């Protein structure tokens, strides 16, 4: 049953309106048909009884001719029978079949009249007819006066009414469904606007609010609730971002100072001597550099979360890839860059330089024998593409989204010597998304292949 119902609210409202109109027309039509047919039958019976009583009055006065004049008011036949069914007078010659059909119809002993509807008898020509009999008591003996009205007009009128109801029902049902569809659409238009605006709310657009319809109806109240929820969410996210930014900023100065002191202490140690204190200083310096990188990464992530970049500057993605390779004259494994043509885009050069650096760092950390970097143009999709691939163990399908989470390191990268901080890929994806692009792990490739795509700037000639 649920599969037969429309999926949308507008469809359900239209179906409900159509069903309600169908039930209303069925009940109202049946009532109207019954009332009109009953009224027509009552009128026919009244006319028939009037004709019978007029003839009965003639019989009581003794002025009853054998051939009665044609009845008026639409009555078809008037027939007077004796106590034993013999024909006394009639308005239609050859009334024998009618006399035999009418003879069983007699009023009760305590009544002077009776009525019956004869259906499809040969005496009525196979048609339905209303028969009324009135008892007359002239001086010559008891007489029974019958009047017959064939119900052709009643049947025709009832058929016309039924046909009109059946023919008029579909347009009325369709009209009710169309009105319900239109009215529901107007009522749900604010809901559509709310849904569209709510879908546009993102991590960098928490200041957006859904439109609030005027009044206090069922749509306005949820809109106000959604906006109040967005207010609380924006405040909570703002406090979280501010905390990360403040913590990262506060860590930079003391970490930098500790690093400087450790470097001075290391330089001041006796030349050529590897004393335990020098080894401790080197270990502390390495941890300090690592802590400094984490603080800088958190600060960059806080900045990416807090705001979207502006129009930016022209940047060549192929040039950035080549410069990144040039900064690594002796990598752990061979590093190959493929960038045959310029790959122009717009953005913040400082952030875009950090993205290939993080991707290359990650690839060099896990590669077995080689790392390849490819910058290209996808003219059909109008995108700038940067791919960084290695031939290492690869990234399991279940971990392809998890590797972009902050401080997440897979098992192969957990040692302190080769493992990163767990922020590199998160920062790279944050930079890609901040520039309207996306960074994903390609499926089905040997090793790991990370692909960043950015929309190309509009063509000045278009």
């Amino acid at each position: 049953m649920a599969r037969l119902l429309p999926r949308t609210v507008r469809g359900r409202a239209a179906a409900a309106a159509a069903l309600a109109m169908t039930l209303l027309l069925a009940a109202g039509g049946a009532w109207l048909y019954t009332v009109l047919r009953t009224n027509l039958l009552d009128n026919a019976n009244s006319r028939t009884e009037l004709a019978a009583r007029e003839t009965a009055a003639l019989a009581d006065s003794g002025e009853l001719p054998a051939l009665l004049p044609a009845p008026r008011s639409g009555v078809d036949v008037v027939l007077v029978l004796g106590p034993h069914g013999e024909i006394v007078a009639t308005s239609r010659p050859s009334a024998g079949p009618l006399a035999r059909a009418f003879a069983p119809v007699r009023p009760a002993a305590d009544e002077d009249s009776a009525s019956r509807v004869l259906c499809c008898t040969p005496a009525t020509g196979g048609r339905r007819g209303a028969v009324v009999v009135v008892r007359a008591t002239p001086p010559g003996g008891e007489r029974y006066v019958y009047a017959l009205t064939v119900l052709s007009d009643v049947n025709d009128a009832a058929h016309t009414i039924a046909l009109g109801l059946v023919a008029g029902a579909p347009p009325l049902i369709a009209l009710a469904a169309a009105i319900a569809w239109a009215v529901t659409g107007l009522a749900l238009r604010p809901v559509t606007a709310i849904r569209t605006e709510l879908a546009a709310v993102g991590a960098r657009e928490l200041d957006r609010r859904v439109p609030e319809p005027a009044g206090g109806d069922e749509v306005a109240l949820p809109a106000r609730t959604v906006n109040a929820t967005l207010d609380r969410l924006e405040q909570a996210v703002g406090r979280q971002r501010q905390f990360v930014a403040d913590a990262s900023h506060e860590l930079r100065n003391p970490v930098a100072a500790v690093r400087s002191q450790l470097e001075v202490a290391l330089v001041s140690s006796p030349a050529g001597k590897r004393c335990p204190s020098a080894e401790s200083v080197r270990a502390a310096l390495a941890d300090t550099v690592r802590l400094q990188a984490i603080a800088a990464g958190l600060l960059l992530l806080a900045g990416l979360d807090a705001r979207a970049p502006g129009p930016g500057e022209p940047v060549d993605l192929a040039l950035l890839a080549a410069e990144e390779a040039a900064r690594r004259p002796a990598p752990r494994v061979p590093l190959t860059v493929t960038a045959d043509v310029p790959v122009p885009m717009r953005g913040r050069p400082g952030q875009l330089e950090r993205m290939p650096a993080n991707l290359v760092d990650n690839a060099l950390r896990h590669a077995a024998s080689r790392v390849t970097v490819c910058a290209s143009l996808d003219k059909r999709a109008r995108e700038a593409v940067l791919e960084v691939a290695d031939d290492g163990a690869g990234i399991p399908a279940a971990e392809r989204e998890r590797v972009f989470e902050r401080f997440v390191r897979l098992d192969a990268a957990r040692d302190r010597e080769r493992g990163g901080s767990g922020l590199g890929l998160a920062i790279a994806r944050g930079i890609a998304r901040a520039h309207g692009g996306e960074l994903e792990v390609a499926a089905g490739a040997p090793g790991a292949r990370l692909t960043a795509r950015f929309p190309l700037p509009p063509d000045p000639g278009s």
Side-chain angles (χ1 to χ4, degrees):
M1 183 62 181
R3 295 180 179 179
L4 300 178
L5 293 176
R7 295 183 178 182
T8 63
V9 174
R10 295 183 71 182
R12 292 175 183 174
L19 179 60
M21 180 59 73
T22 301
L23 296 177
L24 178 63
L25 290 176
W31 174 82
L32 180 62
Y33 178 84
T34 302
V35 169
L36 290 178
R37 183 175 178 82
T38 302
N39 187 45
L40 292 173
L41 286 174
D42 289 343
N43 290 337
N45 285 331
S46 298
R47 295 195 307 269
T48 305
E49 183 177 357
L50 179 61
R53 289 192 180 278
E54 288 177 350
T55 303
L58 291 176
D60 289 338
S61 64
E63 300 177 358
L64 188 66
L67 182 61
L68 299 173
R72 56 185 180 177
S73 302
V75 178
D76 293 279
V77 179
V78 175
L79 181 63
V80 180
L81 300 181
H84 303 291
E86 68 275 14
I87 298 176
V88 178
T90 179
S91 64
R92 177 188 295 179
S94 303
L98 285 175
R100 288 190 293 273
F102 291 168
V105 181
R106 297 287 175 89
D110 56 345
E111 296 180 356
D112 67 338
S113 66
S115 63
R116 182 180 299 178
V117 175
L118 298 180
C119 182
C120 305
T121 64
T124 60
R127 294 173 294 178
R128 299 174 73 248
V131 177
V132 176
V133 57
V134 176
R135 181 186 290 113
T137 55
E142 194 174 59
R143 300 286 184 268
Y144 295 96
V145 181
Y146 295 87
L148 169 68
T149 299
V150 178
L151 299 177
S152 299
D153 294 341
V154 175
N155 293 335
D156 292 343
H159 178 73
T160 301
I161 293 170
L163 186 62
L165 291 173
V166 172
L172 291 175
I173 293 172
L175 178 61
I179 292 175
W181 178 274
V183 172
T184 307
L186 291 175
L188 293 178
R189 186 175 296 174
V191 177
T192 302
I194 292 172
R195 179 186 59 81
T196 303
E197 189 67 22
L198 189 59
V201 175
R204 298 179 185 86
E205 295 181 329
L206 288 175
D207 58 333
R208 301 184 68 161
R209 296 294 180 269
V210 301
E212 296 184 7
D217 58 9
E218 293 82 353
V219 178
L221 292 178
R224 296 192 183 106
T225 303
V226 168
N227 282 338
T229 303
L230 289 175
D231 288 338
R232 294 192 296 270
L233 179 62
E234 182 183 16
Q235 294 172 5
V237 172
R239 288 193 296 267
Q240 183 264 340
R241 289 174 177 171
Q242 188 62 41
F243 169 77
V244 173
D246 291 345
S248 302
H249 182 74
E250 292 297 328
L251 282 173
R252 293 178 67 185
N253 292 335
V255 169
V258 171
R259 179 177 179 177
S260 299
Q261 295 174 9
L262 291 173
E263 289 176 345
V264 170
L266 187 61
V267 172
S268 302
S269 63
K273 294 184 179 180
R274 298 178 59 85
C275 59
S277 60
E279 293 298 330
S280 299
V281 170
R282 287 191 181 90
L285 179 59
D287 287 340
T288 304
V289 171
R290 183 184 180 88
L291 183 58
Q292 191 175 29
I294 292 174
L298 288 174
L299 188 60
L300 177 56
L301 283 173
L304 292 173
D305 289 341
R307 64 185 183 277
E313 304 174 9
V315 178
D316 185 354
L317 199 58
L319 181 60
L320 292 181
E323 291 176 348
E324 180 59 33
R327 283 195 290 266
R328 303 171 185 271
R332 186 178 67 84
V333 296
L335 174 62
T336 305
V337 177
T338 303
D340 298 332
V341 296
V343 183
M345 59 174 293
R346 298 188 68 88
R348 295 187 176 182
Q351 292 183 1
L352 291 174
E353 289 174 1
R354 180 71 179 270
M355 185 190 65
N358 287 5
L359 295 180
V360 171
D361 282 341
N362 181 76
L364 290 174
R365 187 176 299 116
H366 302 292
S369 61
R370 71 179 185 278
V371 172
T372 59
V373 180
C374 178
S376 61
L377 285 174
D378 187 345
K379 295 183 179 180
R380 177 173 297 180
R382 290 196 53 78
E383 291 178 334
V385 183
L386 176 68
E387 291 185 351
V388 179
D390 64 70
D391 61 346
I395 301 175
E399 305 287 349
R400 286 174 185 163
E401 282 299 316
R402 185 168 171 265
V403 293
F404 294 108
E405 297 177 7
R406 301 174 186 185
F407 298 109
V408 169
R409 292 177 294 174
L410 303 185
D411 293 340
R414 288 190 180 276
D415 58 283
R416 294 176 58 88
E417 296 296 329
R418 299 177 59 220
S421 65
L423 293 176
L425 294 183
I427 293 173
R429 173 174 271 191
I431 293 172
R433 290 182 172 177
H435 288 78
E438 185 57 88
L439 175 63
E440 295 178 336
V441 179
R449 186 175 69 191
L450 286 86
T451 303
R453 292 180 173 271
F454 301 90
L456 291 176
D459 189 355
S462 60

